[in-house]
Amino acid sequence: MGLMIGCPDPDSPHTLVVTDIYPLPIEGFETRVVADDDSVINYMIRLSDSIEKTRREKLMGWYHSHPFDVGIRSHSYLSQTDVTTQLLWQNTEDPNGFPFLAIVLDPLRSLAKNIPELKAFRVYPPTYTAPPNECPDGSVVTDNNARLEVWGSCWNRYYELEIEYFISSSASKILGTLTQNFLWMRTLGHTPMLESEYRERWPERVNVVADRIKKSIVAIGEPVGSVTSAGKGSSSTRTVSVGTVKTGPSGGESSDRVDTGTSTWKENREEDEFEQACRAIQEFASERLEGSIVQGTKNDLFLD
């Protein structure tokens, strides 16, 4: 969590320009962030005084993250606590000519998708009533469960702002050089096994390979032949691989058929299927190992 500085665009007063951010020494929990500690409040006061003396911009927003598990949809929305906090900021700063905004970042999805997953919001005044069934992005959704899943329980109390990214020419050249010379950053920023689509398909892929292995093992481990004999005066049948030998009763007709070529082809095919299943297992193991190494490297670089 942190504060943002910037200013309204002089050419477009309804556009807010964010130029810099300042992280706050705040302890976060799974469902809430503690920002009312005396030390944090004093830090914010000193930070505000320092910005006023050293920067032309003003405080104009705050940001925080929703580090939930990677899912099909982004977790960038305002919770009930977020709406209350944002409304307090707006009531304090808006009258001074600096509209205050909130940005919510989904960090885990950003890493999994290798693109920034964030959204900007402002809260409606308490006296304002949003149009029926209108979501923060302006879409009309009649299914209440769908609204809650995407926008949270306060879906009709805030609205989303369009986001555009800008960068100076000097910063663009530096970023281009870093990207070109240090492609390992892309590897660190992309973790396919965290994506929802990958995790949903994983059990299915494992089950398919497991079934193929079972069938291959059963086929390869079958006895060379089975013999079924009947009593006196009855016929008997002996099966050898895919070939059969049929012998009629004593003195009766008999017919023999042995197809050793087909048997050899079947055995080779079963071995090929088993090898393919083994290769699939190796691919699975490589994927998981690579993902674990990447995650461990990220932890060592950025968390420790």
Side-chain angles (χ1 to χ4, degrees), residues 23-75:
L24 296 177
I26 291 178
E27 183 178 5
F29 298 91
E30 184 176 355
T31 57
R32 62 189 180 93
V33 175
V34 179
D36 56 357
D37 184 81
D38 290 340
S39 61
V40 176
I41 295 176
N42 293 332
Y43 178 87
M44 294 173 63
I45 294 175
R46 294 195 302 270
L47 176 62
S48 179
D49 293 339
S50 175
I51 292 175
E52 187 174 354
K53 295 178 182 178
T54 60
R55 302 294 295 261
R56 295 180 179 179
E57 305 94 327
K58 301 293 184 180
L59 288 174
M60 56 165 297
W62 68 296
Y63 70 90
H64 69 287
S65 64
H66 285 174
F68 306 134
D69 290 339
V70 179
I72 299 177
R73 298 178 179 84
S74 172
H75 295 294

Side-chain angles (χ1 to χ4, degrees), residues 40 59 83 95 132 154 157 204 231:
V40 176
L59 288 174
V83 169
C154 298
R157 295 183 56 193
E204 178 183 354

Side-chain angles (χ1 to χ4, degrees), residues 1-4 21-24 61-65 101-104:
M1 178 180 175
L3 298 176
M4 302 181 295
I21 62 172
Y22 292 88
L24 296 177
W62 68 296
Y63 70 90
H64 69 287
S65 64
L101 70 142
I103 288 182
V104 183

Side-chain angles (χ1 to χ4, degrees), residues 122-137:
R122 276 178 56 83
V123 175
Y124 292 125
T127 56
Y128 178 81
T129 301
N133 300 326
E134 183 176 279
C135 296
D137 62 349

Side-chain angles (χ1 to χ4, degrees), residues 201-218:
R201 290 193 61 247
W202 177 259
E204 178 183 354
R205 293 173 60 192
V206 172
N207 290 334
V208 170
V209 175
D211 292 339
R212 292 177 61 181
I213 292 178
K214 290 179 181 178
K215 293 178 181 179
S216 300
I217 292 177
V218 171

Side-chain angles (χ1 to χ4, degrees), residues 129-195:
T129 301
N133 300 326
E134 183 176 279
C135 296
D137 62 349
S139 63
V140 177
V141 179
T142 57
D143 186 352
N144 187 54
N145 291 331
R147 294 194 299 256
L148 293 175
E149 184 178 359
V150 178
W151 302 108
S153 60
C154 298
W155 57 270
N156 60 344
R157 295 183 56 193
Y158 65 96
Y159 58 96
E160 182 181 1
L161 304 177
E162 183 180 354
I163 294 180
E164 295 181 0
Y165 300 95
F166 68 94
I167 188 172
S168 66
S169 58
S170 300
S172 179
K173 292 180 180 179
I174 294 174
L175 185 60
T177 301
L178 291 174
T179 303
Q180 182 178 1
N181 295 340
F182 301 96
L183 295 179
W184 54 267
M185 291 188 299
R186 295 184 180 179
T187 302
L188 290 179
H190 180 63
T191 310
M193 73 175 187
L194 294 180
E195 297 184 12

